Amino acid sequence: MEPRDSAQADAEVSAEQLSTQSAVDSASATTPDTRAPFASIGGVTPAAFHALPTPCYLLDEAQLQANAEILGALAERTGCRILLAQKAFSNYDLYPILAPHLAGTEASGLYEARLGAEEMPGKEVHVFCAAYRVDEMEELIRYADHIVFNSPAQLLKFGPQAKAAGKSLGLRINPEHSTQDGHAIYDPCAPGSRLGTTCAQWEAAVAAHPELPQLLDGLHFHTLCEQDADALAETLDAVAEKFGDLLPKMKWLNFGGGHHITRPGYDIALLEQCIRRARDSWDVTVYLEPGEACALNAGYLLTHVLDVVKNGDTTIAILDASAACHMPDVIEMPYRPPLLQAGDAGEKACTVRLAGPTCLAGDVIGDYSFDTEPKIGDLLVFGDMAIYTTCKNNTFNGMPLPTIVTRKSDGRTEEIVHFGYRDFKYRLGRM
């Protein structure tokens, strides 16, 4: 990684780009974009954005603070403990904003566990992995407080070692109740899922190894994806039905992630009912490990238009940001990220396909409509780009990783890190 000061970044923006985009902003300033992803910037492009290199991720400290306060207030009212799921957001420079309101971090393996221990010192570190490695367990035990196993076999293999080290042990369960519609790739309760232990699997394992229940301190389920509390309430019914005999023997119950707690309109009252139900019915401490809710609508991806081409009836703007490299969930999930001052295809006067610069034919972000056709040099601002971006991006085609910048509560911007050729090269071979 190559740090670079803001003066260097400012010098990269040409006067032509500033002039072009100023005209665009003036035309749209009277109709601010009121959608949640752009609420923190008042629905218009702040002048400071033009001084930033592109592509870049811009992390909004004020929105992170607002999300953290919502989560902290929930924990205070209900007694639940909330963890940051680092798989969604792991920009540790911003952890000091979140830490005062959270119980700690959730990790998906050794490196995330170490990151949580190092960057939220004194907080809890929880880890779940579908399968742990023998050569990593000793080090993992040094960092983790709670270790959740995916199967009875893994619990039996590593549980005694972790228990002897004073760790709290859990088992991920599969309540076999799907609340997803479509998106099987994100459904841990889909038929044939590898994630979580079913009731039948647990009973068979205990019959063969009666000592297993003595290793357990808690149960964990994670079945939601960007969902409201009604899906959680349904799932909790299934958990009670399948594992109700085991729950009173537990110290804690982890509801996992996928809760859109900080989204406008989320039913927090119903979530609180679910938390109190678990606490009062089984005398357990309730954990939640949201990732998206911690950093929802707290980031932007800034990109410039490099070229505009036409193929038949389709107008295509090629950007310096790539779906494949810089917002991989656009292709993997798939989904269409919000874009400031743009509408759905056909909603406004000009519909344009936005695409990346890589050789991948499918490096397409989506079709958007504009009042006027974007021009070469225009600055575009994608919203909700703090989550599943910086922690998932890649350098396919030798694409540079976007610079990471923070936006302070007073509107100032500060570069955290700039990436260059060394970051591309030395992940492929010797330094």
Side-chain angles (χ1 to χ4, degrees):
M1 294 183 291
E2 302 170 357
R4 184 176 60 168
D5 63 33
S6 57
Q8 289 173 301
D10 292 354
E12 293 192 359
V13 182
S14 70
E16 179 183 357
Q17 288 173 334
L18 287 172
S19 175
T20 300
Q21 193 62 39
S22 294
V24 173
D25 292 342
S26 297
S28 62
T30 56
T31 56
D33 193 329
T34 59
R35 291 174 292 175
F38 308 109
S40 190
I41 56 174
V44 296
T45 306
F49 283 21
H50 301 300
L52 298 173
T54 60
C56 82
Y57 299 114
L58 187 61
L59 305 178
D60 194 310
E61 293 189 5
Q63 188 59 44
L64 279 172
Q65 179 72 34
N67 289 343
E69 290 175 358
I70 291 171
L71 297 173
L74 171 68
E76 187 174 344
R77 289 194 303 271
T78 64
C80 75
R81 300 183 67 77
I82 300 179
L83 310 168
L84 165 66
Q86 296 176 102
K87 62 188 174 185
F89 182 79
S90 47
N91 294 100
Y92 53 87
D93 291 276
L94 285 302
Y95 282 13
I97 295 174
L98 301 172
H101 306 276
L102 303 179
T105 58
E106 181 274 334
S108 299
L110 173 60
Y111 287 176
E112 282 188 357
R114 179 175 176 177
L115 184 69
E118 291 178 349
E119 300 300 335
M120 278 199 197
K123 298 284 187 173
E124 295 183 40
V125 176
H126 293 226
V127 61
F128 164 79
C129 186
Y132 294 101
R133 296 168 57 107
V134 172
D135 60 344
E136 291 183 351
M137 183 53 64
E138 184 175 346
E139 185 178 3
L140 182 66
I141 285 173
R142 294 207 301 268
Y143 298 117
D145 301 297
H146 285 210
I147 302 176
V148 177
F149 297 95
N150 189 56
S151 70
Q154 286 260 301
L155 175 62
L156 191 64
K157 183 174 184 176
F158 295 112
Q161 177 187 1
K163 197 79 169 179
K167 305 305 174 181
S168 186
L169 306 187
L171 179 73
R172 178 166 176 167
I173 57 174
N174 178 355
E176 302 176 86
H177 181 80
S178 176
T179 58
Q180 304 287 337
D181 185 15
H183 304 114
I185 190 174
Y186 291 101
D187 186 1
C189 294
S193 173
R194 77 188 197 286
L195 296 174
T197 298
T198 66
C199 180
Q201 289 170 332
W202 173 248
E203 290 175 350
V206 171
H209 301 281
E211 70 276 21
L212 274 173
Q214 279 64 53
L215 291 171
L216 277 185
D217 298 299
L219 298 180
H220 172 288
F221 64 88
H222 177 20
T223 66
L224 307 185
C225 178
E226 299 182 354
Q227 287 171 281
D228 212 316
D230 56 344
L232 172 62
E234 283 184 34
T235 301
L236 201 55
D237 287 341
V239 169
E241 178 185 350
K242 297 289 178 63
F243 295 94
D245 59 335
L246 187 58
L247 280 164
K249 304 171 187 176
M250 298 295 104
K251 297 177 182 177
W252 51 265
L253 177 62
N254 191 322
F255 287 5
H259 317 278
H260 248 190
I261 301 167
T262 55
R263 187 193 70 222
Y266 179 88
D267 192 345
I268 290 182
L270 180 55
L271 172 61
E272 293 186 13
Q273 290 177 27
C274 291
I275 294 169
R276 292 191 177 94
R277 172 188 175 185
R279 184 192 65 194
D280 297 342
S281 298
W282 304 304
D283 192 25
V284 291
T285 298
V286 173
Y287 284 92
L288 293 93
E289 47 186 40
E292 289 200 16
C294 289
L296 188 68
N297 297 325
Y300 312 95
L301 176 59
L302 277 55
T303 177
H304 279 105
V305 177
L306 299 179
D307 197 8
V308 178
V309 300
K310 295 184 184 294
N311 186 342
D313 295 331
T314 305
T315 300
I316 307 156
I318 299 175
L319 314 180
D320 59 13
S322 162
C325 297
H326 306 145
M327 45 177 95
D329 267 5
V330 168
I331 295 175
E332 185 177 303
M333 195 168 184
Y335 87 111
R336 179 182 174 278
L339 179 64
L340 184 64
Q341 299 293 347
D344 294 334
E347 182 180 340
K348 296 190 175 188
C350 304
T351 294
V352 178
R353 180 163 298 163
L354 303 182
T358 73
C359 70
L360 177 67
D363 189 0
V364 173
I365 300 164
D367 290 357
Y368 296 80
S369 64
F370 303 83
D371 293 327
T372 59
E373 185 176 298
K375 299 179 293 296
I376 294 172
D378 280 358
L379 178 68
L380 303 182
V381 180
F382 289 97
D384 200 18
M385 286 285 116
I387 51 177
Y388 295 108
T389 50
T390 56
C391 54
K392 290 188 73 170
N393 59 20
N394 62 79
T395 58
F396 172 63
N397 268 197
M399 285 292 112
L401 295 172
T403 300
I404 302 176
V405 179
T406 62
R407 181 173 188 261
K408 306 296 183 180
S409 57
D410 61 4
R412 291 181 299 111
T413 60
E414 179 182 312
E415 184 175 289
I416 295 177
V417 64
H418 170 77
F419 302 95
Y421 174 67
R422 288 172 59 86
D423 301 288
F424 160 68
K425 179 178 179 180
Y426 292 120
R427 64 186 292 275
L428 301 170
R430 296 175 181 171
M431 293 192 71

